[in-house]
């Protein structure tokens, strides 16, 4: 007779006893969600042009040329917007308790 625990073990572990798919690290998942929420809150505090430039670069992964054309700005202006956005985001995240070690 096949014991249900045997089926469960075979489904979760390979022949060498290693996880086929390791369980979710709950601590990491919760931390990632908290960081995402902090980042979203901080993004909302940015001036509109900085928020848009940052979104295009980091989320949409657009090139400098693409962003400049879409926003109708120079590459120099884009550089300034991204620099300021990143600095403000870093400062905001640090104020929320997220700091580099």
């Amino acid at each position: 007779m096949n014991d249900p625990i045997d089926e469960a073990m075979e489904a979760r572990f390979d022949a060498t006893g290693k996880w086929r798919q390791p369980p979710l690290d709950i601590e990491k998942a919760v931390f990632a969600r908290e960081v995402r929420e902090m980042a979203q809150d901080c993004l909302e505090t940015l001036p509109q042009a900085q928020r848009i430039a940052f979104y295009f670069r980091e989320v949409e992964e657009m090139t400098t040329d693409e962003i400049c054309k879409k926003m109708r700005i120079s590459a120099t202006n884009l550089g300034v917007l991204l620099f300021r956005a990143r600095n403000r985001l870093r400062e905001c995240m640090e104020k929320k308790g997220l700091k580099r070690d």
Side-chain angles (χ1 to χ4, degrees):
M1 183 170 150
N2 226 358
D3 190 353
I5 191 72
D6 291 334
E7 290 175 20
M9 295 298 284
E10 288 175 13
R12 291 188 173 90
F13 300 97
D14 66 17
T16 64
K18 293 185 180 170
W19 286 103
R20 291 186 189 279
Q21 185 175 20
L24 179 65
D25 184 333
I26 300 299
E27 226 175 273
K28 283 184 182 179
V30 169
F31 180 72
R33 187 183 76 235
E34 289 173 355
V35 169
R36 241 186 339 271
E37 289 171 1
M38 280 186 219
Q40 185 62 40
D41 289 345
C42 289
L43 276 170
E44 290 174 9
T45 68
L46 293 179
Q48 184 178 14
Q50 290 176 18
R51 186 173 58 247
I52 291 169
F54 184 84
Y55 178 84
F56 284 157
R57 171 66 62 153
E58 302 301 330
V59 178
E60 296 292 326
E61 298 180 343
M62 293 171 65
T63 66
T64 296
D65 287 342
E66 291 170 329
I67 298 169
C68 289
K69 285 178 186 172
K70 191 150 188 107
M71 293 184 72
R72 297 181 183 169
I73 59 174
S74 69
T76 302
N77 192 0
L78 176 61
V80 170
L81 289 173
L82 290 171
F83 177 80
R84 290 179 179 169
R86 289 176 180 133
N87 278 333
R88 286 186 172 167
L89 287 171
R90 180 186 44 78
E91 289 170 359
C92 180
M93 297 292 280
E94 286 176 354
K95 284 179 186 174
K96 290 182 176 285
L98 191 66
K99 295 183 182 187
R100 284 187 181 185
D101 291 332

